[in-house]
Amino acid sequence: MEPLLKTSNLSKSFGGIKAVQDFNVYINSGELVGLIGPNGAGKTTAFNLLTGVYTPTTGNIEFNGHSLVGMKPYKITKQGIARTFQNIRLFDHLTVIDNVKIAYNYHIKYTLAEAILRVGRYGSEEEVVEKKAMELLEIFNLADKKDELAANLPYGQQRRLEIARALAAQPKLLLLDEPAAGMNPQETHELMEMISWIRKTFDLTILLIEHDMSLVMGICERIYVLEFGKILAQGIPDEIKSNTEVIKAYLGEEV
């Protein structure tokens, strides 16, 4: 069976700097895969390539049998890839529920004229979107915050809202960029359980960037390690833990 996502000799250069070089990865449908490495290794650049923020200098990205190279980010989202960001990017001055509802725009079928005049399919589809958004907020324990501005939420709740918004796009592949950043150990443990749960409940494939090794080793089935833009190693968590090159470059003596 073909992988859901496959990259071939993917590279990105900024002037003379090679941020990502020969990035060859595959992710099978239903997998939860980790992408780790030191700061500046090229992890977020890889995410930006996969989501159309950057155009590759060389190489190909194949998703669900189709090349994504040259596609705009919104078209890639419509193909079935959604992401969160290392630095939270919510619509701060919109309410919590509107942050989630806006992601459903990729799937609405009413026309611009129907929306302006509020006729035809507009009313019925908006009711469906409202209901689905509330269901996601219930899942992430944010239903009681639905009318609050996103900017007023505590950090941990903003992280949950960003994941909820990504799920509203109804992705096949979810990219999580350091979701545990800034969280305490208890919040990280709860996040780990949440990621495992949403993967199963929403039938998702997940690619995860994270520095918290307890989270990565606890939930990922396979792990890729980046160093200086290149894949240093790949394997199951136990193989990565014991890889001497990975220990030297990133993990240190204890994991």
Side-chain angles (χ1 to χ4, degrees):
M1 186 171 63
E2 286 295 311
L4 178 65
L5 177 79
K6 181 180 179 181
T7 66
S8 303
N9 302 319
L10 194 65
S11 299
K12 180 62 180 178
S13 297
F14 298 97
I17 299 173
K18 295 180 178 180
V20 171
Q21 303 178 61
D22 297 323
F23 185 71
N24 296 302
V25 304
Y26 71 91
I27 305 175
N28 295 316
S29 183
E31 275 194 303
L32 203 169
V33 177
L35 180 62
I36 66 173
N39 288 328
K43 303 182 296 297
T44 296
T45 299
F47 266 30
N48 287 337
L49 289 168
L50 297 178
T51 54
V53 176
Y54 297 151
T55 300
T57 304
T58 59
N60 191 37
I61 305 164
E62 192 172 299
F63 178 70
N64 212 17
H66 302 282
S67 177
L68 301 181
V69 175
M71 277 192 187
K72 298 292 186 183
Y74 76 91
K75 289 189 175 180
I76 290 176
T77 301
K78 290 186 77 170
Q79 289 289 318
I81 299 179
R83 71 174 292 181
T84 64
F85 293 85
Q86 182 177 351
N87 298 313
I88 297 172
R89 297 186 187 179
L90 296 171
F91 298 104
D92 287 343
H93 300 295
L94 292 181
T95 64
V96 167
I97 192 167
D98 283 343
N99 264 273
V100 177
K101 286 172 65 177
I102 203 167
Y104 283 107
N105 286 339
Y106 294 108
H107 304 286
I108 59 174
K109 297 180 175 61
Y110 56 73
T111 65
L112 178 61
E114 287 174 322
I116 293 172
L117 299 173
R118 303 199 170 195
V119 297
R121 294 169 291 184
Y122 175 80
S124 60
E125 288 205 27
E126 280 296 301
E127 285 183 12
V128 171
V129 167
E130 180 93 10
K131 181 180 178 181
K132 287 182 176 180
M134 281 304 301
E135 288 172 351
L136 279 174
L137 293 181
E138 290 280 359
I139 288 169
F140 287 89
N141 296 318
L142 292 170
D144 61 333
K145 308 288 185 182
K146 71 182 185 70
D147 295 321
E148 290 192 25
L149 294 180
N152 294 337
L153 293 180
Y155 183 85
Q157 292 182 357
Q158 288 188 7
R159 278 286 179 197
R160 296 208 305 269
L161 177 57
E162 191 179 37
I163 296 173
R165 186 181 62 184
L167 290 177
Q170 300 175 16
K172 299 181 182 72
L173 173 63
L174 178 62
L175 308 181
L176 298 175
D177 192 348
E178 296 194 30
M183 292 187 173
N184 62 43
Q186 178 61 31
E187 289 172 329
T188 299
H189 178 74
E190 291 172 357
L191 176 69
M192 182 167 67
E193 292 182 339
M194 180 187 298
I195 291 171
S196 297
W197 184 84
I198 63 175
R199 172 200 180 193
K200 185 176 181 180
T201 302
F202 291 89
D203 192 25
L204 284 173
T205 305
I206 297 176
L207 179 60
L208 169 75
I209 292 175
E210 187 51 65
H211 284 293
D212 190 307
M213 288 300 100
S214 64
L215 192 156
V216 172
M217 299 295 174
I219 62 174
C220 291
E221 295 162 321
R222 290 190 300 117
I223 299 170
Y224 288 95
V225 185
L226 264 184
E227 185 187 30
F228 301 120
K230 294 182 177 180
I231 299 291
L232 176 65
Q234 61 171 301
I236 63 174
D238 284 344
E239 292 172 335
I240 297 301
K241 285 180 185 179
S242 60
N243 186 303
T244 54
E245 289 186 332
V246 176
I247 292 170
K248 181 179 179 181
Y250 181 55
L251 295 182
E253 293 303 319
E254 295 184 7
V255 181

